[in-house]
Amino acid sequence: MPSETPIQNVTLVGASGNLGRVLLSHLLKTNLHITILQRASSKSTYLPHPNLTVTTVPSWSLPYVTEALRGQHAVIAAFPLRDLQAHLTLAEAAYASGTVARFIPADYGSVDARSQRARDLVPLFGKKVQVRELLEKLSENSGGRLSWTSLVNGHFFDWGLTNGFLHFYPFENPPRAHILGSGNEKSSQATLAQVSKAVVSILTGDAGHLEQTKNKVLMLQSFLVSQNDAVDMLEKVTGKKFEREYVDTEEYIKERKKVADEGTTN
């Protein structure tokens, strides 16, 4: 598909995941035709929609995935990076399809994966870099026909607010929070809906917008907030007092690094 042609057919991989479900909802509100690509072993089901197709592949091999992507104009990866090879295969298949013009990898990072400190602390970021470097190579080899856009959005705020990922535990009795450092340092946060809207904006833009987002890392946030501010808001909403445990940041990183290494971070 020539690069100036608007995107029409979009494949989403990971539609049943935390981000994927929200992405799918936003994508189906557009005029795009969405294909959910999954393995034949997947148990996920979806409500019928006139702009939705579900395609299964017998195995996640390059020939099968390539064939499934023929005629598609964009691919969105929204599944965990624990299986790096699956992401690399998806990128190779997008290139081999001959029709995919835009690839959105499962970056969605709290920081740019190229940060050396991020990669030292969390090996998952190293996997993100490997996918991006492959996409850069494939884009060059395609003469620009295949391009990519990575999103760096901070943590998924609504996802991490109640499951402990952001160190808040509102459902415990009493509710509590682990506050890193002073708790006054602010960080970028994004809701799943905000990230989904950004993806939709990229894919539904005109040729000029597609060119502006081509082969770039885009930063976005819903808001900038400190842990103390977030706990203050939780206390106001729930009417409950949170126990705040202040912990040394570096010590906490060492203790919890294993969780991030398992690929459960965004």
Side-chain angles (χ1 to χ4, degrees):
M1 183 187 75
S3 60
E4 66 273 17
T5 304
I7 289 171
Q8 299 173 356
N9 301 326
V10 177
T11 288
L12 172 62
V13 184
S16 63
N18 293 306
L19 174 61
R21 289 193 297 267
V22 184
L23 264 172
L24 179 61
S25 174
H26 281 77
L27 289 166
L28 290 177
K29 294 176 183 177
T30 71
N31 292 324
L32 300 170
H33 186 88
I34 310 303
T35 295
I36 294 172
L37 182 60
Q38 59 187 24
R39 291 178 173 89
S41 59
S42 174
K43 305 298 182 184
S44 299
T45 58
Y46 306 90
L47 294 175
H49 189 283
N51 291 336
L52 180 64
T53 299
V54 178
T55 298
T56 60
V57 289
S59 69
W60 204 258
S61 63
L62 184 59
Y64 282 123
V65 179
T66 298
E67 186 59 32
L69 294 183
R70 294 197 194 283
Q72 297 297 296
H73 305 144
V75 173
I76 306 169
F79 61 106
L81 258 162
R82 285 188 294 270
D83 185 355
L84 173 61
Q85 188 55 51
H87 288 261
L88 298 176
T89 297
L90 184 62
E92 291 276 10
Y95 168 77
S97 73
T99 61
V100 173
R102 183 61 54 92
F103 192 105
I104 298 183
D107 212 327
Y108 317 115
S110 53
V111 297
D112 188 344
R114 295 248 169 129
S115 162
Q116 185 61 54
R117 176 168 170 78
R119 282 180 284 148
D120 290 342
L121 292 175
V122 185
L124 175 66
F125 285 110
K127 295 181 179 181
K128 294 182 180 185
V129 169
Q130 289 184 62
V131 174
R132 193 185 301 174
E133 289 178 343
L134 174 60
L135 288 169
E136 290 173 339
K137 176 183 175 181
L138 294 174
S139 178
E140 182 179 356
N141 290 347
S142 72
R145 186 264 303 165
L146 174 65
S147 59
W148 55 272
T149 306
S150 285
L151 294 175
V152 175
N153 47 253
H155 294 303
F156 294 147
F157 186 74
D158 44 348
W159 172 80
L161 190 63
T162 58
N163 65 7
F165 185 76
L166 294 180
H167 320 297
F168 306 133
Y169 308 93
F171 300 122
E172 294 189 4
N173 189 22
R176 60 188 179 89
H178 281 148
I179 307 297
L180 305 184
S182 71
N184 295 322
E185 298 83 359
K186 294 185 177 183
S187 62
S188 295
Q189 308 285 333
T191 63
L192 296 173
Q194 187 71 45
V195 177
S196 299
K197 289 176 182 177
V199 172
V200 168
S201 176
I202 293 166
L203 299 182
T204 57
D206 59 19
H209 186 62
L210 287 171
E211 187 64 30
Q212 288 178 336
T213 58
K214 180 179 180 180
N215 298 337
K216 290 183 178 179
V217 178
L218 304 182
M219 308 289 186
L220 70 141
Q221 66 179 29
S222 296
F223 38 76
L224 192 66
V225 66
S226 71
Q227 281 189 289
N228 281 330
D229 288 340
V231 176
D232 288 344
M233 289 185 287
L234 285 170
E235 289 180 336
K236 184 176 181 179
V237 170
T238 63
K240 298 179 179 180
K241 186 69 175 177
F242 276 60
E243 291 186 351
R244 305 189 192 201
E245 179 186 352
Y246 290 84
V247 298
D248 180 84
T249 301
E250 292 302 321
E251 287 301 316
Y252 194 87
I253 288 173
K254 291 177 182 178
E255 292 174 3
R256 296 302 298 270
K257 186 171 178 291
K258 183 177 181 296
V259 175
D261 290 348
E262 292 173 351
T264 56
T265 60
N266 59 293

